[in-house]
Amino acid sequence: MSESTFIASLMPKQEIGAQKFLETHPTYDGRGVIIAIFDSGVDPAAAGLQVTSDGKPKILDIIDCTGSGDIDTSKVVKADSNGFIAGASGSQLMVNKSWKNPSGEWRVGYKLVYDLFTETLTARLKKERKKKWDEKHAEATLEALSKLTAFDQKHPKPGSSSLKKEREDLQSRVDYLQKQADCYEDKGPVIDAVVWYDGSVWRAALDTQDLEEDPENGKLANFTPLTNYRIERKYGVFSKLDACSLSVNIYNDGSILSIVTDCSPHGTHVAGITAAHHPEEHLLNGIAPGAQIISCKIGDSRLGSMETGTGLIRALIAVVENKCDLINMSYGEPTMMPDYGRFVELANEVVNKYGVIFVSSAGNDGPSLSTLGAPGGTSSSIIGIGAYVSPVMASAAHCVVEPPTEGLEYTWSSRGPTVDGDLGVCLSAPGGAVAPVPTWTLQRRMLMNGTSMASPCACGGVALLLSSMKAEGLPISPYTVRKALENTATIIGNQPDEKLSTGHGLMQVDQAYEYLQNCKDAPAVWYRVKISRSGNSGSNMRGIYLREASDCQQTSEWTVQVEPKFHEDADKLEMLVPFEEYIQLKSSNSEVVKVPEYLLLTHNGRSFNILVDPTSLPEGLHYFEVHGIDCKAPQRGPVFRLPVTIIKPLVLRVRPPVASFSGLSFEAGHIERRFIEVPIGATWVEGTIRTSGFDTPRKFFISSVQICPKKRPIHWESFVTFSSPSLKSFSFAVEGGRTMEITIAQFWSSGNGSHATTHVDLEVEFRGISANKEDIFLSGTEAPTKIDVKALLSTEKLVPSACLTKIRVPYRPVKSVLLPLPTTRDRLPSGAQIYGLTLTYKFTLSEACDVTPHVPLLNNRIYDTKFESQFYMISDINKHVLAMGDAYPKSVKLSKGDYNLRIFLRHDNTQYLEKLKKLVLFIEKKFEEKVLSDSFVSLKFYSQPDGPITGLDIFSSSQLVPGETQAFYIGPVSEDKLPKDYSAGTVLLGKITYGKDSLGNRKGEQTGKACPASSEIFYIVPPPAKVEEKDREEGSSSSKISLNQRLEEEVRDAKLKVLSSLPREKIEECEEWGRFAASLKLEYPKHTPLLAQILEGLVSMSSNEDKKRHDKEVIDAANEVIDNIDKEELAKYFSMKSESEDDDAAETKKKMESLRDQLANALYRKGLALAEINLSEIQKIERDDDEFPSQSDTALAVDDTRDLFEENYAEFRKWADATSHKYGLLTVVHERRCKRLGSALKVLNDFIQDDSRPPEKKLYDLRLSLIEEIGWTHLVSYEKVGILVHFPSDYPLF
């Protein structure tokens, strides 16, 4: 291999005829073609993505369709006289005087930069930042230790209280620093964003100082302003440290700034394969170096890189807006229903109405059949691409020692057919390349492989064809181009599974070009084929797929409807009316698939019947096609194809049902498939695979697929490496009565350096215990639930095991808001505006646990759903978002407390959204492991229905004889095992198994594991039992009170309850509350609970405008409480030991404890207010610009209130634990006043880390001020970020 051949093979073109085509037509290299890249984002700074081959801008627009980079910039500020503005993060930012801003209005927002970076980049930055942080932290720790050591040397035995406290303070500083080193968590730098209108366009600038080591770098004023990328095509970089490119888009009149970064290297790599242009090395060019691209980021950075419905729909909108010719989408997910869903409907519109050609990856879930991903492998309007590897690719790109002699499909490439019979894989293309990657990876290019790489290779090939058609003035239609590709592809192999693996074959650009030249006068028509089984008109399929044994026992008749579909703008008189074709129907095997000879096809379509007779076919896989040939233009090739896939499974008639396949021979890339009808009654399979005859290690895929209606295929797989000849065992669940494909494949590159053949013996045994109920529902009553079980295949040991592992609690929204989305990116090509429905749920956790939200209507579906978004955020009461998710909710560990869950749904049909305003959401909580070890929810089994009550007749196991039914009872959950706090509709759920596998016994173990087949079990939690009230005893305290007195007390208490319920947020509400409180105080002047409540009400109405006046009001209210309590009587009571247990003593104790708490709280509130007044006086002196305050002036300000504070604090300590979490804040203030900042920090930090209460911003602010006062500058920055994380000003945008 020459060097040039090596370099060229890193970006394969020869395999698809692109190189030959470009050599003949060098200017048809994609020029004039615009390609939308639906992916993880494209880096405009990556190698080869700056200009096209003819010097035009390579990237026309860069869009984050997901919203993951959105910043709320609706807050407007103005600059002060010195040119500074207040940033949203709290920083003071200087704007550049040269920036034009006629209105003088600056819109501000902020973002945690790690929210914009990939996990890989974040990990690199954290490592580098931690190293620098450690250096600064070590300096601070050394200084603190030095001060402590010096103190110990000077005072080896501190005797006085003041010295002891001084040492405690120094020790606390050391301890705090050491604790910070242990719990360091880098939340990332904060970037401030500023948006303004310069009179022509909206612009944005970023302050990235937090990313820079030098504080002079990254300043806002030094940032080169950016506008929407499509306007000026400019981008920036956050810093040299990250080397991450960014671009921006500004929406909604400056209220939303979208910072666009990529969420993985994947998208840049894909774009490079499609269209990279390297002037310095043409051999590394992408397939279509002359094409331009639009980057549509559909991978959401908040979810790693998972696509979302929002991103997908916005991307389609962008395609039409930017008049794209092509789409490449190297993304996809499994689907329940092919060719269905909101995205597919809109994609069909983009293709059929706007003439866009859509190319997408088929998936990487092979090698079993029917493993295609959506949308690429399952949608009619999308060209699905499989992944092919050639010998030269294997040698050069993959560095395989001895490459295969012939090209083949990658082992993992997904295979067809779809569950509705379509071929699935349309074409194949090289599925590996060394292509450009983002600059933040710190390299120019890398190797990636997958159908994700095959799709852009094919897309680039299509771009070459479109470039030629535009240059030559040929009409362009997705239908004619697709037909050209399908009818000119090079067939790879002639076996049925090769057809289902590679589709119509390896695409050939040069031959497709010739086809388009020869058939340029052919009508631009898509021949839509709908198939239904005769007598079952309700099921429309796109092919015939006979898979079950019953399907192969007789001839079946099928009705085929062929509907010619023109583009929506086709002229009715000139194109639709004259359309008439004489179609010859040809079957690839007329003995099995019998068709009429001819068909007259007009615009309105035509149906015909065919017969499929599989009865004479041998066991295994068979594939046939029916071709429709235009009699007048046979050179067009098949104008439509009807795929017919027949699987005739092995039917096991022996008992126990065991299938053995011996002497299978494997070389690199070889695949063996066996199809077996799973016997009715089987619920799991146990298998062994024995290998021999090889030298070097071998890698194998072992996988299985079963297909069930309206469900995702049941897919099990295992990737096994055999280091030497040996035996491996496996087991998995199956569904009886359905065909199972079991596939063994030697990995395509495994064993290439060895000429030894791998010999494999496979044995599978079907086992099963069937129950009369698929899922078990326990009603929550005392009655047990009867289960009938039987073993149909062989004798089985019945060993039931059931454990409830989760709690599922239903919730309804407490709030729903339906609004039209304001930006043009959410307006469909049809002009319809998309609406957003925000649902808010509230839930409370009584203890820390793992939580997973579930929306049964929406979850686990991205493509096969009529809705385009289900994005959710879980936040605490401070709006701190703790978890995000979409179609696939993930578990998150949450502490005890109150939480909000907000979910965002989108659609242009408001009627759909209106129906979802009361959408039920489940919060699923895992039981703690300690609970499980105590058998908290392990269910018991009984042989008699009265067992749960009597405690007798425990059932543990029995022998099941084939055909015999046995019964046992599942007992209810005992009341003491139920969760403490639950609401109506709460369900406990888990799994139940009935048997054990025998694999453990084969390995010499005493007992086998629970079999892999299990059923869901649900326990409906009953209403909680009410605790009966004890009869009031004679002589109780209430009986000694007169009726009038009792009535007066209840009226008074009712008034207090009304007072506490009054809102106090607005000024008028506070005034109303004050008037009512004053009237009550006149009515009940000596009622301590009232005075205490007024005090708390005043505290809650904290005013920043006149803080000193408010503090004095608090002090006055606290004094009223203090003066109203007889402290001598209180002290006397608590100094006495009372052993009496009568009701009067209990009542007295309750009253005195309440008074003590009210006294302590009043002293606590008074102390905090006194400290605030003291602080404000000092600050007033320090702010006085008219004269310089003397030391005595400052001291006077302190002395004015110092005695009052200390006196109050001394009194407070008599009645409360000053270090408790309830009152510790006053101790913090006291220690700070005494200049013992370390001791203050210790108490405060313990207070903050208490998980039993929600975080409070004032505590974090206080901790920050203590750290600033101590002088730990590196911790100041760390703490400021923590405050922004824990206490955001508002929820982030969806």
Side-chain angles (χ1 to χ4, degrees), residues 300-311:
D300 197 303
S301 297
R302 298 167 292 187
L303 308 179
S305 59
M306 174 63 70
E307 73 267 45
T308 63
T310 298

Side-chain angles (χ1 to χ4, degrees), residues 255-517:
S255 294
I256 299 175
L257 169 65
S258 172
I259 298 181
V260 191
T261 58
D262 59 78
C263 59
S264 86
H266 191 273
T268 301
H269 196 273
V270 164
I273 294 173
T274 309
H277 171 57
H278 298 278
E280 75 285 355
E281 181 52 84
H282 293 291
L283 292 175
L284 291 174
N285 281 350
I287 308 299
Q292 295 175 295
I293 66 173
I294 305 289
S295 170
C296 298
K297 178 182 172 184
I298 61 170
D300 197 303
S301 297
R302 298 167 292 187
L303 308 179
S305 59
M306 174 63 70
E307 73 267 45
T308 63
T310 298
L312 292 166
I313 301 306
R314 283 177 175 170
L316 288 175
I317 294 171
V319 165
V320 177
E321 183 180 353
N322 286 280
K323 298 180 180 179
C324 296
D325 303 290
L326 265 167
I327 299 171
N328 181 83
M329 179 171 166
S330 292
Y331 260 69
E333 297 291 322
T335 183
M336 183 168 63
M337 292 178 288
D339 214 27
Y340 169 86
R342 168 84 165 159
F343 175 76
V344 173
E345 290 173 359
L346 294 176
N348 290 342
E349 180 182 345
V350 168
V351 173
N352 299 327
K353 182 176 182 178
Y354 296 98
V356 179
I357 300 173
F358 200 148
V359 183
S360 183
S361 53
N364 301 325
D365 290 323
S368 290
L369 303 182
S370 300
T371 51
L372 297 159
T378 61
S379 307
S380 295
S381 62
I382 299 175
I383 302 174
I385 308 297
Y388 168 88
V389 57
S390 68
V392 69
M393 287 170 60
S395 176
H398 291 283
C399 300
V400 174
V401 176
E402 290 188 23
T405 56
E406 296 181 351
L408 71 161
E409 210 75 356
Y410 281 97
T411 313
W412 34 255
S413 187
S414 291
R415 269 69 173 175
T418 62
V419 295
D420 65 343
D422 191 53
L423 184 59
V425 180
C426 180
L427 300 164
S428 288
V434 176
V437 289
T439 55
W440 60 259
T441 62
L442 307 184
Q443 62 186 91
R444 289 170 59 82
R445 54 184 62 89
M446 67 170 61
L447 170 67
M448 292 187 191
N449 55 270
T451 55
S452 287
M453 283 65 246
S455 181
C457 180
C459 185
V462 176
L464 301 181
L465 294 176
L466 295 187
S467 184
S468 70
M469 296 173 77
K470 287 189 174 190
E472 297 177 5
L474 297 180
I476 296 175
S477 164
Y479 312 145
T480 55
V481 172
R482 180 168 184 165
K483 199 57 59 186
L485 292 168
E486 292 177 349
N487 287 339
T488 60
T490 298
I491 296 174
I492 307 171
N494 53 12
Q495 297 300 312
D497 68 333
E498 290 174 314
K499 177 70 174 181
L500 296 170
S501 299
T502 63
H504 297 292
L506 188 63
M507 72 176 292
Q508 299 297 310
V509 175
D510 54 336
Q511 295 180 32
Y513 171 75
E514 293 180 7
Y515 179 97
L516 290 168
Q517 294 288 320

